[in-house]
Amino acid sequence: MVLFGQQLVDFNEARNKAIKLLGDPESDCAKFLKSHGLNPVELATSLSALIPYDALQSTNIDSFGVFVGRVKDIFKQIAISSGSMPDAAVNNSGTSAYFTGTGLNTTIEIHETYHLIRPGISDASFYQQLGGNSADYSNYGPRAINSLLEKEGCK
């Protein structure tokens, strides 16, 4: 199910802010991403075309990592296995991005858009591409990426 109502408004506000940051070659965010081999314009273009889905309302079948099933059930399974609800996730095929209410911000939208343009690249590999170390990723998981992006002006 696609986002609607206030969640869609929140998503669009964050998306517009992200596109502005990514499209400005002088922004700290764009400079940081470019210095780590990413094309901010490519990210902005992909983000502008993204159709966001509601992770907790979607009942279609999809796959994320080793989990396959109804999207809302998978997010609950991931929450149980990891101890916290994911903010967002891109499916294994890199075709759909699903968000929970906590995932509707600029940083997470940039993070998930990366996975849409680079399907199959793990969060751990993405974090290392951004200059993060594996120990930090081991301690904080995907939130380490979001913290690093925020620190570098992608918020």
Side-chain angles (χ1 to χ4, degrees), residues 4-83:
F4 65 95
Q6 188 59 48
Q7 285 189 321
L8 182 58
V9 170
D10 294 345
F11 176 87
N12 285 332
E13 286 176 1
R15 173 173 33 200
N16 292 340
K17 186 174 179 184
I19 289 169
K20 185 176 179 181
L21 285 170
L22 295 168
D24 177 2
E26 296 304 313
S27 77
D28 290 339
C29 178
K31 288 178 184 177
F32 171 73
L33 294 170
K34 193 167 187 167
S35 73
H36 287 87
L38 298 171
N39 181 338
V41 174
E42 180 184 21
L43 283 164
T45 301
S46 293
L47 181 54
S48 68
L50 175 66
I51 298 170
Y53 293 92
D54 185 327
L56 302 180
Q57 297 296 319
S58 294
T59 58
N60 59 302
I61 304 296
D62 214 328
S63 58
F64 304 82
V66 297
F67 297 104
V68 177
R70 288 178 21 179
V71 173
K72 70 179 190 174
D73 296 337
I74 291 172
F75 269 69
K76 291 174 187 172
Q77 284 179 294
I78 294 170
I80 291 167
S81 69
S82 69

Side-chain angles (χ1 to χ4, degrees), residues 32-33 107 111 130 145-154:
F32 171 73
L33 294 170
T107 303
H111 172 170
L130 294 175
I145 296 168
N146 302 333
S147 294
L148 181 57
L149 288 171
E150 285 179 7
K151 182 180 133 209
E152 298 298 335
C154 298

Side-chain angles (χ1 to χ4, degrees), residues 81-100:
S81 69
S82 69
S84 66
M85 180 67 71
D87 299 311
V90 169
N91 63 356
N92 286 346
S93 62
T95 56
S96 299
Y98 297 88
F99 296 86
T100 63

